Amino acid sequence: MGQLVRVPANETQRLLAVRSLNGVHSSPTPELATLAELARGVFETPYAAINIIDEDWQRIAGQAGLKIAECSRDMSICTRVVFDDELLVLPDLMEEPELKAAPFVLDDPYFRFYAGAPVRLENGLPVGAFCILDQRPRQFSSSEEQSLRRFAQIASALLRLQKTNLLMGIAENDLRAAAMTDPLTRFFNRSALESIVDGALSTAITKGGNFGVLSLDMDGFKSINDRFGHNVGDEVLCEASVRIRSVLRADDIVVRMGGDEFAIFVPDSPDKHALVSLSERLLAAFRTPFAIDGVSVLARLSIGAALAPHDGATRMTLLKNVDSALYRAKAEGRDRVAVFNALDA
């Protein structure tokens, strides 16, 4: 049964505050559940909860006692607490014209009493309510009202702390990603070999799959730097990263090994023929000259290819073998791919 609830003028700002919680309110949290359990004992009630009201739903951030499912915000009494931003006490729900026929009053869990206080973030905007419900009508003293407000204040502080921890975690992940990212090409740098590549390789081998590796070297890149300067060389590398991305799948991992050298790790590569096919597309992408500031420069590729576990089951072995194949590609005339074989070792 829908309620006649006034939507506040600051609803847009309030919803932004709700969204800032991100994953905090996506599922009940232990700390808020413990707080709800404490409130349930203090108020001697069968149910206590901290609920978050978003665009459409009442989300449960923590509850104790009866197990209540999430519901639409139109069905939630907490919505009124949030929208009015003030304590709400309803001694007998059967005496409330808008609620006496509500399913949660007429049917299980047969609630008759409700009290809720706003839960707010640091900007003061209410995002939810700390509520207690009982299956019998009851009066709520002024001291009990003050206690519920204090519980709501503690819940607000916990939400703010959890939000801060979430943002710190995101920042830490961003810093970790930045530490593994080459600033020029935006590919991974060598520090990603252990933290990302080793895990992907181990997963592929454990599942009995293949794991392809390509070693790329841009032919003539040193002469570009010597002739046109490092600024032009950097522009060529940036354009080279665009060309490489245009050929690869989303799951392929590219590492700038240094200078004009790249390694491409290909999870779930079916066989060496697939690696050769990918290499041919890369070679084709680099046969068009680079146009940098009116200067046309040519920097084609030489590529070595290897496939785990046939050509090695560890990153170190694979890189050694794929580099051996790369040297053979260069020796055979460049602008080509060479697949590792035992003679390269």
Side-chain angles (χ1 to χ4, degrees):
M1 176 180 177
Q3 301 179 50
L4 299 176
V5 183
R6 174 181 58 83
V7 176
N10 64 354
E11 177 65 351
T12 299
Q13 290 78 12
R14 193 193 72 80
L15 289 176
L16 288 174
V18 170
R19 293 190 192 103
S20 74
L21 293 172
N22 270 339
V24 169
H25 67 279
S26 61
S27 61
T29 58
E31 296 83 1
L32 291 172
T34 299
L35 187 63
E37 184 62 47
L38 179 61
R40 196 172 75 90
V42 168
F43 294 107
E44 297 181 340
T45 182
Y47 183 74
I50 300 94
N51 295 320
I52 306 297
I53 304 299
D54 65 16
E55 293 94 330
D56 303 303
W57 283 87
Q58 170 185 286
R59 308 290 184 183
I60 298 172
Q63 65 176 342
L66 301 171
K67 298 304 178 184
I68 306 298
E70 296 181 342
C71 66
S72 71
R73 79 178 193 180
D74 291 340
M75 293 292 296
S76 166
I77 307 177
C78 289
T79 301
R80 187 186 301 181
V81 175
V82 171
F83 284 5
D84 291 340
D85 195 16
E86 60 185 26
L87 179 79
L88 175 66
V89 178
L90 302 174
D92 188 352
L93 298 179
M94 288 296 291
E95 300 297 325
E96 300 295 323
E98 298 172 14
L99 295 171
K100 63 182 181 180
F104 53 81
V105 176
L106 294 180
D107 299 312
D108 189 55
Y110 301 102
F111 285 135
R112 292 289 298 274
F113 169 84
Y114 174 92
V119 171
R120 303 180 180 93
L121 289 187
E122 62 276 353
N123 53 15
L125 290 171
V127 295
F130 198 121
C131 67
I132 59 172
L133 292 100
D134 206 334
Q135 293 163 316
R136 59 181 177 84
R138 60 186 285 182
Q139 297 300 313
F140 213 52
S141 67
S142 59
S143 63
E144 287 177 314
E145 290 181 358
Q146 185 62 28
S147 294
L148 184 57
R149 288 191 178 95
R150 287 170 177 164
F151 270 106
Q153 289 174 347
I154 297 171
S156 299
L158 281 173
L159 277 175
R160 291 195 292 269
L161 178 61
Q162 291 173 7
K163 174 188 170 184
T164 299
N165 289 340
L166 177 70
L167 294 176
M168 289 178 63
I170 293 173
E172 183 178 348
N173 289 337
D174 288 343
L175 288 172
R176 188 180 298 112
M180 293 189 299
T181 302
D182 172 55
L184 186 63
T185 63
R186 310 308 300 171
F187 288 142
F188 287 119
N189 58 32
R190 294 181 68 94
S191 64
L193 291 173
E194 180 176 355
S195 56
I196 293 179
V197 174
D198 285 355
L201 173 60
S202 176
T203 298
I205 293 177
T206 300
K207 291 181 177 180
N210 293 327
F211 190 84
V213 185
L214 301 179
S215 181
L216 282 59
D217 188 84
M218 294 177 63
D219 299 326
F221 182 75
K222 183 179 182 302
S223 65
I224 294 174
N225 276 335
D226 293 342
R227 181 179 178 186
F228 300 106
H230 288 281
N231 288 338
V232 171
D234 287 349
E235 290 293 331
V236 169
L237 286 173
C238 289
E239 174 60 26
S241 69
V242 173
R243 297 187 185 189
I244 291 172
R245 283 190 179 91
S246 70
V247 174
L248 301 183
R249 307 170 306 169
D251 292 339
D252 297 336
I253 304 166
V254 187
V255 176
R256 185 184 179 195
M257 303 295 284
D260 61 328
E261 299 175 3
F262 302 90
I264 300 176
F265 300 90
V266 187
D268 302 320
S269 179
D271 50 36
K272 291 186 178 181
H273 294 294
L275 288 181
V276 171
S277 178
L278 173 58
S279 299
E280 292 291 353
R281 294 196 298 274
L282 287 164
L283 292 170
F286 276 73
R287 287 177 182 139
T288 301
F290 293 84
I292 308 296
D293 295 333
V295 177
S296 180
V297 295
L298 190 63
R300 296 183 176 181
L301 290 179
S302 293
I303 302 176
L307 188 69
H310 182 270
D311 298 326
T314 67
R315 168 173 49 91
M316 296 297 291
T317 301
L318 281 170
L319 289 177
K320 175 178 176 293
N321 290 340
V322 79
D323 280 344
S324 297
L326 172 64
Y327 296 146
R328 179 159 55 85
K330 287 180 170 293
E332 292 177 354
R334 305 175 186 270
D335 188 26
R336 67 191 62 214
V337 57
V339 179
F340 175 78
N341 59 52
L343 297 177
D344 292 320

